[in-house]
Amino acid sequence: MKELSLKISFGILAVAIVIMGFFIYRGLRSFSDKERIVTVRGLSERIVDVDNANLVISYAVGGNEMSEVLKEIERNNKKVKDFVIAKGLTEKEISINVPNIKDKRNQEYGNEYNITYRYYATVKITLISNKVSIVRDIEMNQFDLFKEGVNLIKNDYYYEGENNRTYSFTKLNDIKPDMIKESIKNAKKAADEFAQSSNSKIKNIKSAYQGQFEITSTDDPLKVKVRVVSTINYFVK
């Protein structure tokens, strides 16, 4: 009787071990399946119009009498303002900086025998506007100011080129949601293509990372490229 009881106990233990082993196997198999992942990236890219313009028009004036230099500055300021307003901007979009006037004779290393003018003044006039096409027209036609006798300069010595202007896109928040959706959609499409090629099945998302939005210039100064990449890890079955 005692021997029979031991046999039954060993039998029950063996069955329990088999059952426990089966569930451990199923658990490990399930865990292994869940950890099979694929990493894909989805791109969203758009070319958009800029909506803000910042243009600096700089000119220089020289003379030996301060009063004459100041009068010439006033005349030039009026010429620039009239030119800009005639193109379509308003006075509120025009900012005239305080003139930077140097007395060459009183500089530390000045020499009155090798200077053309005693006084040398530079003035910067800044245009800030959302009328980007008008600002672009002003930029491209600054040569007309030369005809009016305005001596345009850069760094106090030579004509300002492209470094004197900035065209920017400020409405990124307006297009962010749609671009994020598009990048996720493209990532899912890439995952589905992977699954089809590998005879597998895409399941849930394990993790996702949204990259930073990048805004870069294009060949057209009035357009910029906006770009974002989403990286998503999917479980694969």
Side-chain angles (χ1 to χ4, degrees), residues 164-175:
N164 70 328
R165 49 86 164 166
T166 301
Y167 295 103
S168 57
F169 177 65
T170 66
K171 298 180 180 179
L172 180 60
N173 287 337
D174 292 348
I175 64 173

Side-chain angles (χ1 to χ4, degrees), residues 151-182:
N151 182 28
L152 301 181
I153 54 95
K154 179 179 179 180
N155 293 332
D156 296 349
Y157 295 103
Y158 51 93
Y159 171 66
E160 292 218 21
E162 293 187 356
N163 292 332
N164 70 328
R165 49 86 164 166
T166 301
Y167 295 103
S168 57
F169 177 65
T170 66
K171 298 180 180 179
L172 180 60
N173 287 337
D174 292 348
I175 64 173
K176 264 187 177 182
D178 288 340
M179 290 191 68
I180 292 172
K181 289 179 183 178
E182 184 179 31

Side-chain angles (χ1 to χ4, degrees), residues 18 77 98 113 121-122 128 135 137 154 166 178 189 200:
V18 171
N77 284 349
V98 176
Y113 297 107
T122 57
I128 301 177
V135 175
D137 182 49
K154 179 179 179 180
T166 301
D178 288 340
K189 182 178 178 181
S200 56

Side-chain angles (χ1 to χ4, degrees), residues 66-109:
M66 177 64 76
S67 59
E68 288 301 317
V69 170
L70 295 177
K71 288 180 182 179
E72 186 64 17
I73 290 174
E74 291 180 349
R75 286 192 289 267
N76 282 349
N77 284 349
K78 185 178 186 307
K79 289 177 182 178
V80 174
K81 283 182 63 176
D82 290 347
F83 170 73
V84 169
I85 291 174
K87 289 291 186 180
L89 295 191
T90 65
E91 288 201 24
K92 292 182 178 180
E93 296 166 305
I94 305 170
S95 176
I96 301 177
N97 292 1
V98 176
N100 179 17
I101 303 176
K102 296 179 181 179
D103 185 345
K104 297 290 187 177
R105 186 176 300 173
N106 292 327
Q107 285 184 338
E108 183 178 357
Y109 300 104

Side-chain angles (χ1 to χ4, degrees), residues 6 45-46 64 66 79 103 118 123 164 179 195 230 233:
L6 286 173
E45 193 173 76
R46 297 185 182 183
N64 291 316
M66 177 64 76
K79 289 177 182 178
D103 185 345
R118 174 176 178 176
V123 180
N164 70 328
M179 290 191 68
S230 293
N233 295 318

